Each structure stands twice: as structure tokens, then as C-alpha cells.
């Protein structure tokens, strides 16, 4: 079971008296997590099948990009985390030998144009270590480096010194799921991350947190107002014990379709789902999806072309 971990800053944003507070739902343990469904898996998007080298640190799923898991630590634990099985505050961060293996692999695979720094949360590493990783990846010929983080929401103070790292990054993707996460402190953190070429947001569609047209629209507009483009809205992966966060897929599609009547195109995130087994991300069609007689969905992998049977777990 994922250990409960919350920063004092984020705890101060929670309405303690509200049992349904959306920020509380994202970080406080719920008994409903004990309800693990047969469709759920500790490796919901097939990371293991795509591990390239170095102790499972590099995930090479798409030809042109690879994900580098530099740490297993996060400032707080999201209760909907799909890599929850990896999170461990005592596990070591990437070491020099592992980094050298990654750099060698990337150097031998010229088709890898972009490396995405992830984890855990990469900002758990000191700035100097991040600069060293970025330097080695650039030397190996990587054109684009992207970093994903939820620090600006959980511990904005961490971003005080981040300018030198940010200016060496092509994109920073923050993971903001509710408009109340956009505080004065958050805006201060974003001002420092702005040295990166692009600032994007991706978040998970979460029942009880942001599953309404009003909240999704308010979140998108709040992000756009501070120069962050909404990029992806993820349908929750089949990670164990998170079925209470899922809405039916056709409801997710209805929500995003409704945004098209309210917001400018650049303010609307793309609704995506990761097909289990490492078969990659697909855009869900806004016209809705058809269920088979047995209640499953037939999804076509953009990565492999396979048609995959997918069972919703609600
Ligand atoms: S920040 Fe990302 S990796 Fe860390 S707990 Fe949240 S979802 Fe998981």
C-alpha cells in the first residue's frame, strides 16, 4: 500500500472540515484503495516490457523518445499514482553507472530525439545532479529534454533555485489537476520554471476532483492565464486500488466534448488513454467509443496498430 505523504504546504491548502475536499482526495489515504480490481495491475501501462537498460531506469516505448526515471522519490504521494509500485523514499536515485548505461544506450539509438526526465519527481534531485544529467544527455546527441514535475503544486519553494536547470530544458510539464492548486506560491514557482522553452500541463481526470465541465474549464483558463498550455487529460490507468477515481470512458469523452463549446482550442487538453501492455497512448475519439456485447472496448494502438480489448474498471 502506498504510504501517505503530504507536504505541510499542500496540507495547508486542504479544507480540513470538508470530507469531499478535492485536494484531500488527491493525497490522503482512502479505505477505497483496498478495493483492487482484477483488471488492475502493478504495471498498468507495461513499463516492464519497454525497459531498455540500466536497472529499469530507461523506458523506450516510442521510437523517437524515451523516459528516464531518475528517482523513486516524490514530495507527496498522489493517491492515483500509476507508478505507485515504484515509489519508495528509501530507494536510491539514479547512480553514475546507471546514468552511463543510459547515455551509452541513447548514443547508440540515434532515433531517440527526446528524453523525458521523470520518476518519481525529478526535482527531488539537487539542481547540480540534474544539470549533470542534462549535460550528459545533450552530449549523447539528445535534441530535446523534457521534465515532468508536481513540485510547483506540492512544494513551490523547491523551485526557488531552479532557473539554471529550467533554461536548459525544452519543456517542463507540470501536473496540476485542480484550480485550487494555482496559488500565489505556485505562480512564483512557475515564474522560475518559465526559462524553459515550453510550459505545459497534463493531469489525470479524477472522479470527485475535476470531473465536471466547470472545474475542467476553470482549471484550463487558470493555466492559460499564466502561460501554461493544457496538453493532456489522462484517463486513469489501471493501477491497483484507484477505481474510485475513474468515471466511465464515455463520460470522460462527454466532458471534453463539452469543453469544445466553451474554450478556445489551445485551452482544451487532449483526452488520452494508455493501452495496457506497453501498447502506447491513444487519443480518445470525441464521438464516443462503442462497447462490445461483453462490455469491453476495442481500442486501436497508434504505436503497434493492434486492436486491443480493454475492460473498464469502475
Ligand atoms: S508526483 Fe507523479 S510519480 Fe509522484 S506520486 Fe504523484 S503521480 Fe506518482
Amino acid at each position: 500500500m502506498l504510504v501517505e505523504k503530504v507536504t505541510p504546504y499542500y496540507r495547508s491548502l486542504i479544507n480540513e472540515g470538508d470530507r469531499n475536499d478535492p485536494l484531500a482526495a488527491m493525497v490522503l489515504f482512502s479505505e477505497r484503495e483496498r478495493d483492487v480490481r482484477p483488471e488492475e495491475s502493478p504495471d498498468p501501462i507495461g513499463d516492464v516490457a519497454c525497459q531498455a537498460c540500466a536497472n529499469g531506469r530507461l523506458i523506450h516505448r516510442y521510437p523517437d523518445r524515451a523516459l528516464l526515471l531518475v528517482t523513486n522519490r516524490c514530495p507527496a504521494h498522489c493517491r492515483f499514482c500509476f507508478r505507485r509500485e515504484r515509489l519508495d523514499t528509501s530507494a536510491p536515485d539514479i547512480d553514475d553507472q546507471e546514468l552511463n548505461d543510459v547515455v551509452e544506450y541513447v548514443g547508440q539509438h540515434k532515433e531517440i530525439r527526446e528524453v523525458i526526465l521523470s520518476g518519481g519527481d525529478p526535482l527531488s534531485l539537487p539542481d547540480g545532479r540534474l544539470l549533470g544529467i542534462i549535460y550528459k544527455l545533450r552530449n549523447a546527441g539528445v535534441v530535446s529534454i523534457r521534465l515532468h514535475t508536481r513540485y510547483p503544486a506540492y512544494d513551490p519553494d523547491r523551485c526557488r533555485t531552479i532557473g539554471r536547470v529550467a533554461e536548459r530544458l525544452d519543456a517542463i510539464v507540470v501536473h496540476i489537476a485542480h484550480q485550487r492548486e494555482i496559488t500565489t506560491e505556485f505562480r512564483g514557482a512557475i515564474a522560475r520554471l518559465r526559462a524553459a522553452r515550453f510550459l505545459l500541463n497534463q493531469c489525470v481526470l479524477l472522479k470527485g476532483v475535476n470531473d465536471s465541465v466547470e472545474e475542467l474549464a476553470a482549471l484550463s483558463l487558470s493555466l492559460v492565464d499564466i502561460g501554461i498550455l493544457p496538453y493532456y487529460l489522462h484517463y486513469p490507468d489501471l493501477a491497483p486500488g484507484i477505481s474510485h477515481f475513474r468515471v466511465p470512458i464515455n463520460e470522460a469523452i462527454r466532458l471534453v466534448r463539452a469543453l469544445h463549446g466553451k474554450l478556445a482550442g489551445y485551452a482544451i487538453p487532449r483526452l488520452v488513454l494508455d493501452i495496457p501492455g506497453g501498447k502506447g497512448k491513444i487519443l480518445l475519439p470525441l464521438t464516443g467509443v462503442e462497447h462490445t456485447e461483453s462490455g469491453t472496448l476495442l481500442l486501436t494502438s497508434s504505436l503497434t496498430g493492434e486492436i486491443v480489448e480493454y475492460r473498464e474498471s469502475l
Side-chain angles (χ1 to χ4, degrees):
M1 194 61 69
L2 181 62
V3 171
E4 186 180 281
K5 187 178 176 196
V6 192
T7 58
Y9 163 79
Y10 200 81
R11 202 175 276 282
S12 75
L13 301 182
I14 292 173
N15 288 332
E16 295 283 355
D18 179 2
R19 285 168 53 89
N20 298 315
D21 184 74
L23 302 198
M26 282 193 270
V27 291
L28 300 185
F29 171 76
S30 162
E31 282 298 327
R32 290 179 295 179
E33 292 175 41
R34 299 194 195 282
D35 176 15
V36 176
R37 304 296 174 82
E39 301 83 20
E40 295 176 332
S41 156
D43 181 25
I45 67 167
D47 280 348
V48 172
C50 306
Q51 281 172 356
C53 66
N55 199 14
R57 297 271 183 200
L58 196 71
I59 313 285
H60 191 187
R61 191 182 339 267
Y62 304 96
D64 65 331
R65 55 201 184 274
L67 189 74
L68 178 53
L69 306 174
V70 294
T71 178
N72 292 342
R73 296 181 291 139
C74 288
H77 287 164
C78 310
R79 304 317 303 177
F80 51 87
C81 180
F82 73 99
R83 291 212 170 91
R84 56 200 294 130
E85 303 295 319
R86 281 190 71 98
L87 293 188
D88 179 353
T89 45
S90 63
D93 300 327
I94 190 167
D95 64 28
D96 287 344
Q97 184 56 55
E98 290 171 332
L99 183 57
N100 289 341
D101 290 350
V102 165
V103 166
E104 189 182 331
Y105 180 90
V106 169
Q108 288 167 352
H109 290 77
K110 298 294 180 205
E111 72 275 19
I112 297 179
R113 189 179 185 283
E114 181 179 43
V115 170
I116 301 145
L117 304 181
S118 185
D121 194 314
L123 293 194
S124 301
L125 268 55
D127 294 348
R129 183 62 170 155
L130 288 169
L131 288 169
I133 292 171
I134 293 167
Y135 176 81
K136 287 200 164 190
L137 290 172
R138 294 280 186 210
N139 268 358
V142 173
V143 175
S144 177
I145 302 180
R146 187 193 333 162
L147 180 147
H148 284 239
T149 181
R150 210 164 134 68
Y151 260 94
Y154 283 147
D155 182 9
D157 201 41
R158 160 68 184 94
C159 300
R160 245 179 330 104
T161 60
I162 206 69
R164 279 198 314 144
V165 174
E167 68 190 24
R168 288 168 172 77
L169 293 169
D170 297 278
I172 295 178
V173 184
V174 292
H175 291 220
I176 303 307
H178 194 278
Q179 59 180 315
R180 276 183 33 220
E181 295 181 326
I182 302 175
T183 61
T184 304
E185 292 86 346
F186 174 83
R187 288 191 183 87
I190 293 303
R192 294 189 163 101
L193 296 177
R194 200 168 293 290
R197 222 143 48 92
F198 298 108
L199 280 181
L200 304 168
N201 186 60
Q202 70 175 47
C203 69
V204 185
L205 176 62
L206 299 166
K207 190 174 174 179
V209 174
N210 55 17
D211 62 328
S212 71
V213 177
E214 293 70 28
E215 174 50 38
L216 289 174
L219 173 62
S220 278
L221 290 177
S222 306
L223 290 164
V224 165
D225 284 350
I226 52 172
I228 302 174
L229 277 185
Y231 163 53
Y232 278 153
L233 179 64
H234 280 267
Y235 187 76
D237 294 315
L238 293 172
I242 68 162
S243 60
H244 56 290
F245 281 120
R246 295 191 197 102
V247 299
I249 288 183
N250 274 332
E251 170 62 4
I253 290 169
R254 185 195 71 78
L255 290 168
V256 175
R257 201 167 45 213
L259 291 180
H260 282 257
K262 287 179 94 68
L263 304 178
Y266 63 84
I268 302 172
R270 287 174 254 185
L271 180 62
V272 292
L273 177 148
D274 258 288
I275 301 181
K279 302 200 190 310
K281 207 180 269 87
I282 57 162
L283 277 181
L284 284 168
L286 292 184
T287 46
V289 288
E290 296 288 331
H291 289 76
T292 63
E293 277 180 16
S294 61
T296 57
L297 302 174
L298 296 180
L299 302 176
T300 306
S301 164
S302 312
L303 186 63
T304 66
E306 288 168 85
I307 296 177
V308 180
E309 218 175 345
Y310 181 94
R311 185 173 292 279
E312 290 189 73
S313 182
L314 302 169

